[in-house]
Amino acid sequence: LHSRVGQPTVTYGSHLATHMALGLLFLGGGRYTLSTSPPAIAALLAAFFPKFPTHSNDNRYHLQALRHLYVLAAESRLLLPRDIDTGSLCYAHITILYLDSDHYKSQAFTLKAPCILPELKYLKEVRVQDDRYWKVTFKRGKNWSQLQSMLTGCVGVKQRAGCLSYIEDPYGFRSLLAQTLTTDKAVAWTVPADSIFSFSSDPSTVNFAHYFLEQPEGTSVASRGELQVTHFLTKIVYECVTHDKLSIVPIWITIIKAIQNLYCSPCGHLVWQLKLMIAHGQSPCDDGTLPSIAPDMALSIKQQVSTVLESWEHDLSEALWKYTHNLPVTGESRVLQQLATYLTFHDFPSPDVLAVALSEGMTNSLMLQLQLGHHVPVSTLRKVAGLQQISTY
């Protein structure tokens, strides 16, 4: 500064002006900028009045305390994205739409956050629109107040499955390779647990896969039932990770536990819940997208439940015959619970309807379907016909 002005001494006012300029350049650590509202302009005129003092006690033309009025014009407009899974700051592209005016219509442009937004009074919509993150939209008149509150902190963004941050993958080569796997609707059933680590860095997911899905080296092979559960659970976690559905992993664990409990604790209410889940997975969505439960997963659950119920058929043969002929069914409470669960899952008609159909000599599934209607599953009609044929021998 001394060499700049060419004088051996520099006044206090010159130092004051220089440091105020530096303070405005890095206002609030780069988070703040200046407003252009009339009150803000008035505060700036008072703060930067071009009559600087010659020494620290010089208040003849302008009170030095008024230099602090610039804070009235400062406002935070920094949009700072933060990954909600890792908690770390990240880069993300945003799209800004301006309000229509007499000079322009439907103006929009794209920035890469973190960035300083234009004044909010001129904006119509701000949205996080990036291929690597889920879309977040702030629209005037709807959730505009949320944007205003987030400008003092961070905006949470959710990373898409198969994508990496711009710090880990600046050019997107690794993300494109992973997306080719996550967009495929048909996923192989043989999924190694190591592949889960390639799609998620969430600590809870990584620890779950490491401690429950991986087979440690040097350990003995588990039982066949345990291997089946581990294999099925690995497939579930892999699908949830690749399709951004990690929130339903606890639900799947509850379903697996419920199927295992059917062996020792039959429950008709539980079977109804499983039937609703299977129907949801096998029914197509109206918009053409995949349901929350993949069809192949729903079919697998149905097969597992059917396997459990088929193991009861030998013990339930007498009770089933009495039910189909509208006779009183007696026995142990466990047998009655198994019977109720079996009838609920297979959608057996009421005993009086079955008794009428069987009394007319209908012994094959086609004739029973004509009599009972199409709402009864064909597999159930075959079971009824099989019971009738056994009783005739």
Side-chain angles (χ1 to χ4, degrees):
L1 185 60
H2 287 268
S3 61
R4 176 77 175 173
V5 298
Q7 296 180 1
T9 59
V10 180
T11 62
Y12 172 77
S14 298
H15 286 286
L16 178 63
T18 303
H19 288 91
M20 289 185 70
L22 291 174
L24 289 177
L25 186 61
F26 303 101
L27 190 61
R31 300 185 64 97
Y32 284 77
T33 185
L34 298 176
S35 174
T36 59
S37 62
I41 294 175
L44 292 176
L45 287 175
F48 303 136
F49 185 74
K51 186 62 178 178
F52 292 95
T54 57
H55 53 82
S56 60
N57 294 326
D58 185 6
N59 292 292
R60 291 175 297 174
Y61 302 103
H62 187 268
L63 291 177
Q64 294 189 38
L66 299 179
R67 301 292 179 184
H68 299 283
L69 292 180
Y70 74 93
V71 298
L72 300 178
E75 62 179 7
S76 177
R77 295 205 302 266
L78 176 65
L79 185 65
L80 194 61
R82 182 187 295 275
D83 194 316
I84 61 176
D85 294 326
T86 62
S88 59
L89 302 177
C90 60
Y91 295 100
H93 290 92
I94 64 172
T95 301
I96 298 175
L97 278 71
Y98 278 94
L99 290 170
D100 295 338
S101 67
D102 298 335
H103 305 286
Y104 51 82
K105 303 287 185 181
S106 303
Q107 290 294 317
F109 66 97
T110 302
L111 295 175
K112 190 172 185 179
C115 62
I116 296 291
L117 295 179
E119 288 193 83
L120 299 184
K121 62 182 179 181
Y122 300 120
L123 304 184
K124 177 182 179 181
E125 184 176 317
V126 177
R127 56 175 177 259
V128 179
Q129 196 166 11
D130 196 294
D131 294 336
R132 305 190 185 192
Y133 297 93
W134 289 102
K135 185 178 179 180
V136 181
T137 303
F138 301 98
K139 198 169 185 178
R140 183 178 294 274
K142 290 187 177 181
N143 56 346
W144 200 249
S145 59
Q146 296 182 9
L147 174 63
Q148 294 174 334
S149 62
M150 288 181 178
L151 291 179
T152 58
C154 299
V155 177
V157 293
K158 171 68 175 178
Q159 186 171 296
R160 293 178 181 268
C163 296
L164 299 175
S165 65
Y166 285 96
I167 298 177
E168 298 173 314
D169 187 14
Y171 301 102
F173 297 144
R174 295 167 60 189
S175 297
L176 289 175
L177 177 61
Q179 288 176 10
T180 58
L181 300 177
T182 59
T183 54
D184 191 4
K185 296 182 180 180
V187 181
W189 276 87
T190 305
V191 179
D194 298 341
S195 60
I196 297 176
F197 303 136
S198 303
F199 293 93
S200 177
S201 58
D202 181 57
S204 59
T205 305
V206 172
N207 291 333
F208 183 85
H210 176 67
Y211 290 108
F212 293 98
L213 304 181
E214 280 189 321
Q215 182 71 25
E217 297 182 0
T219 58
S220 58
V221 179
S223 62
R224 184 173 180 272
E226 185 176 347
L227 287 176
Q228 289 179 348
V229 172
T230 304
H231 177 266
F232 186 65
L233 192 57
T234 303
K235 171 65 174 66
I236 290 173
V237 175
Y238 180 82
E239 182 187 355
C240 293
V241 167
T242 55
H243 293 87
D244 281 336
K245 298 186 295 185
L246 282 175
S247 58
I248 66 173
V249 171
I251 300 177
W252 273 112
I253 296 177
T254 304
I255 292 172
I256 295 175
K257 184 63 176 178
I259 295 175
Q260 292 179 334
N261 290 338
L262 279 179
Y263 286 98
C264 55
S265 301
C267 179
H269 175 72
L270 174 61
V271 168
W272 261 117
Q273 301 300 319
L274 294 175
K275 284 171 62 67
L276 291 175
M277 185 207 70
I278 294 170
H280 170 71
Q282 294 181 341
S283 60
C285 297
D286 296 335
D287 55 358
T289 59
L290 287 175
S292 302
I293 301 172
D296 55 343
M297 301 295 291
L299 184 61
S300 175
I301 292 295
K302 182 178 180 180
Q303 184 60 38
Q304 292 184 44
V305 177
S306 299
T307 302
V308 175
L309 300 185
E310 286 176 0
S311 64
W312 301 345
E313 290 183 350
H314 181 269
D315 299 332
L316 295 177
S317 57
E318 181 180 355
L320 285 172
W321 186 88
K322 291 181 179 180
Y323 178 86
T324 55
H325 291 78
N326 199 14
L327 298 175
V329 180
T330 58
E332 299 179 358
S333 60
R334 176 178 175 81
V335 175
L336 296 179
Q337 290 177 356
Q338 290 179 344
L339 177 63
T341 304
Y342 188 92
L343 298 175
T344 301
F345 183 77
H346 290 293
D347 290 326
F348 268 69
S350 59
D352 53 345
V353 175
L354 278 175
V356 172
L358 295 176
S359 63
E360 297 179 1
M362 299 182 180
T363 58
N364 59 67
S365 58
L366 180 59
M367 297 174 62
L368 288 172
Q369 187 175 19
L370 294 175
Q371 177 68 19
L372 299 176
H374 296 278
H375 62 280
V376 181
V378 177
S379 59
T380 302
L381 296 176
R382 291 175 180 172
K383 292 181 181 296
V384 174
L387 291 171
Q388 183 65 13
Q389 292 175 2
I390 292 175
S391 63
T392 57
Y393 290 142

